[in-house]
Amino acid sequence: MSRDLALEHAAARFDSGDFGRLLARRIAIPTESQNPDRGADLARYLDEEMKPAFEEMGFRCRTLTHPKARAPFLLAECIEDPALPTVLGYGHGDVIRGLEPEWHAGLSPWQMQERDGRWYGRGIADNKGQHSINMEAMRLVRQTRGKLGFNAKYLIEMGEETGSPGLRELCEAEREALRADLLIASDGPRLAPTRPTVFLGARGSLNFDLTIEARAGGHHSGNWGGLISNPGIQLAHAIASLVSPTGQIRIPEWVPRELPDSVRRALADCEVDGGSDGPEIEPWWGEPGLSPAERVFGWCSFEVLAYKTGNPETPVNAIPPRAWARCQLRFVVGVDPDDLLPALRRHLDRQGYPMVQISTTRETMFNATRIDPDDAWVRFTVESLARTTGKKPAILPNLGGSLPNDIFTEVLGLRTVWVPHSYPGCSQHAPNEHLPPELLREALLGMTGLYWDIGAAAVEGRAPA
């Protein structure tokens, strides 16, 4: 019973093809939570894949539901000794729509295939591949040692891609059942494909619509041009007042007062790398004076996701009556989430755009979260990953994207350490989602080593407090 033996078992599990076959079976279940016809598949993933796998490891499983949720949850737990630390895991088995017609010829979102040194399939990166790695790592530790050495709980949800409806309420109702000392979970990308990464929270996310309803219908641009306002032009100017021509946010309430020193230190050696398929970083865009890593992991960003005025498919010579834009703000700790839209209203009114209407969307708002990069559990995790991989992990104060991490910090009061098993160029949420198998292999070994180290430290009484 040794750490090295557990890592040997993990390598053999991957190299034999067993892990790939397991992952292919899970990817074959089309768990599109955005598709109302997939309800049976969402439940099937829990009943046929998650529950048997956890029960084989000695976990007790309970299917949970909530009126606000469109799909069930699974809670698995293995309590070896109430005196030991308890680690909560989290993952989601639902995926974004498959978009079958848009995949490369010969590829299918529901059939895992290898091509040009990559494994393709919907969910391989988000999130079936990631939680499958963590589950297998725990199984391998238990198989090698005979026990985990710590208490484990795991929550699998099936609605993350639709904003995790009901997750907050479920955690509030099941607070005691979900009680733990720490969350260790995996989602999102590494900083770079070959560099192990941990992140400690997530940027908040707020989607909203800006609309101008000028009049009931369009009017001939020759007869009325120069006499009546064009809402498309007005809305373009209103949006331009929110950010500079180089993307710097112009609403003071939308950005933090400063970048904390602990965040600067953590990001000092972090270089954003999307891999060969990632877009080229434009150093002139965004908040001046910050590095690319500081701009995406330490600061806020505003985006226009869609814009429409008139009839883009068949333009006509008429001044449109309406203009609409779907906008998004990603924000970090240090920004007041309750003042985001009021600050926007005040800004637009000051700038002379009272005609712009602001409305929220159906997307859930995520609050920004971040634990201290100097936290003892962060140091423990980083040291374990470094020992296994021989690489210096990147520490990101928070993910550039958004996750329901605020539920774990605010409702359950947990410190949160995320170890992602993807990379920025994986085509997550797009056609041709993929991962390099060498990344998956390294992640499986890394998590096996981490769970082994947690168990060893817990039994010996030296786990972080």
Side-chain angles (χ1 to χ4, degrees):
M1 296 192 303
S2 71
R3 188 182 197 272
D4 289 343
L5 183 58
L7 295 179
E8 288 177 13
H9 288 162
R13 177 69 167 165
F14 193 93
D15 296 342
S16 68
D18 288 343
F19 179 77
R21 285 185 284 273
L22 170 74
L23 189 52
R25 192 176 68 233
R26 292 174 179 173
I27 287 172
I29 302 177
T31 52
E32 303 166 296
S33 57
Q34 296 175 324
N35 183 343
D37 297 329
R38 297 297 198 191
D41 293 304
L42 299 178
R44 182 159 66 96
Y45 187 79
L46 294 183
D47 293 338
E48 296 183 7
E49 287 296 331
M50 297 293 97
K51 187 176 179 181
F54 279 116
E55 289 178 340
E56 182 186 350
M57 289 192 285
F59 282 64
R60 293 185 303 162
C61 295
R62 226 175 10 122
T63 300
L64 305 175
T65 59
H66 192 276
K68 286 192 174 182
R70 304 176 190 135
F73 302 80
L74 183 73
L75 174 60
E77 65 174 1
C78 178
I79 307 300
E80 295 185 348
D81 183 344
L84 294 172
T86 300
V87 177
L88 176 65
Y90 162 81
H92 64 91
D94 66 314
V95 298
I96 208 76
R97 288 183 180 272
L99 306 174
E100 291 97 325
E102 301 177 40
W103 285 58
H104 292 320
L107 294 180
S108 164
W110 316 122
Q111 182 180 356
M112 195 178 87
Q113 299 178 69
E114 183 170 0
R115 179 180 292 185
D116 299 326
R118 296 169 170 177
W119 289 1
Y120 286 82
R122 176 62 85 217
I124 191 167
D126 189 19
N127 177 259
K128 292 178 179 178
Q130 304 217 35
H131 65 252
S132 293
I133 284 170
N134 293 1
M135 292 168 63
E136 277 297 288
M138 279 197 289
R139 188 186 69 80
L140 290 162
V141 168
R142 201 165 191 273
Q143 170 190 305
T144 306
R145 180 187 272 145
K147 59 183 180 181
L148 289 172
F150 59 92
N151 302 317
K153 298 178 181 180
Y154 220 106
L155 181 66
I156 301 288
E157 75 158 313
M158 301 301 295
E160 195 269 351
E161 299 295 2
T162 56
S164 296
L167 178 60
R168 177 176 291 271
E169 292 79 6
L170 182 92
C171 288
E172 290 171 344
E174 299 286 345
R175 186 181 281 108
E176 187 59 35
L178 293 168
R179 185 180 298 278
D181 298 287
L182 172 74
L183 174 87
I184 293 181
S186 299
D187 204 337
R190 291 178 166 190
L191 180 66
T194 59
R195 188 174 184 188
T197 300
V198 299
F199 63 86
L200 315 177
R203 285 203 292 186
S205 177
L206 173 65
N207 284 19
F208 56 92
D209 290 347
L210 298 180
T211 310
I212 296 179
E213 300 279 359
R215 55 192 66 88
H219 294 273
H220 192 281
S221 57
N223 296 335
W224 294 97
L227 300 179
I228 60 175
S229 63
N230 186 311
I233 295 174
Q234 287 180 303
L235 187 57
H237 280 279
I239 292 172
S241 76
L242 306 181
V243 289
S244 74
T246 56
Q248 182 182 15
I249 294 175
R250 286 174 161 165
I251 301 179
E253 296 92 336
W254 278 13
V255 296
R257 292 184 178 180
E258 60 182 1
L259 197 63
D261 289 339
S262 61
V263 173
R264 286 190 183 275
R265 288 196 305 270
L267 296 175
D269 71 338
C270 294
E271 182 177 348
V272 180
D273 179 9
S276 58
D277 292 338
E280 183 178 351
I281 292 173
E282 296 170 319
W284 51 269
W285 184 262
E287 183 69 18
L290 301 182
S291 70
E294 289 170 342
R295 294 204 301 270
V296 73
F297 301 119
W299 209 249
C300 307
S301 63
F302 169 76
E303 305 295 342
V304 177
L305 305 180
Y307 190 106
K308 183 176 181 180
T309 189
N311 191 333
E313 292 77 20
T314 55
V316 296
N317 294 321
I319 299 169
R322 182 177 189 268
W324 164 90
R326 171 66 52 85
C327 303
Q328 182 184 76
L329 180 70
R330 302 273 187 178
F331 59 96
V332 296
V333 170
V335 174
D336 182 0
D338 295 329
D339 196 37
L340 295 177
L341 292 183
L344 173 60
R345 179 74 274 162
R346 295 192 299 269
H347 172 87
L348 291 173
D349 290 346
R350 285 196 306 267
Q351 297 296 318
Y353 302 109
M355 76 291 292
V356 177
Q357 303 170 32
I358 305 168
S359 58
T360 56
T361 67
R362 290 180 296 176
E363 286 92 343
T364 300
M365 175 180 172
F366 293 114
N367 286 331
T369 55
R370 176 197 296 150
I371 70 168
D372 188 347
D374 295 328
D375 184 89
W377 272 111
V378 177
R379 294 196 302 270
F380 184 96
T381 302
V382 168
E383 289 169 4
S384 174
L385 293 173
R387 180 183 177 190
T388 302
T389 65
K391 301 176 180 179
K392 181 183 179 183
I395 302 176
L396 306 181
N398 48 257
L399 182 68
S402 300
L403 290 167
N405 196 61
D406 55 323
I407 297 173
F408 303 118
T409 59
E410 296 173 4
V411 177
L412 301 181
L414 295 175
R415 287 176 286 179
T416 56
V417 178
W418 294 77
V419 186
H421 310 320
S422 178
Y423 80 105
C426 69
S427 298
Q428 170 189 349
H429 286 198
N432 309 307
E433 182 177 345
H434 66 274
L435 283 180
E438 58 270 19
L439 190 160
L440 289 164
R441 187 182 190 276
E442 183 177 74
L444 180 59
L445 268 68
M447 293 305 296
T448 301
L450 176 58
Y451 288 134
W452 183 277
D453 291 341
I454 292 173
V459 171
E460 295 168 11
R462 54 181 178 83

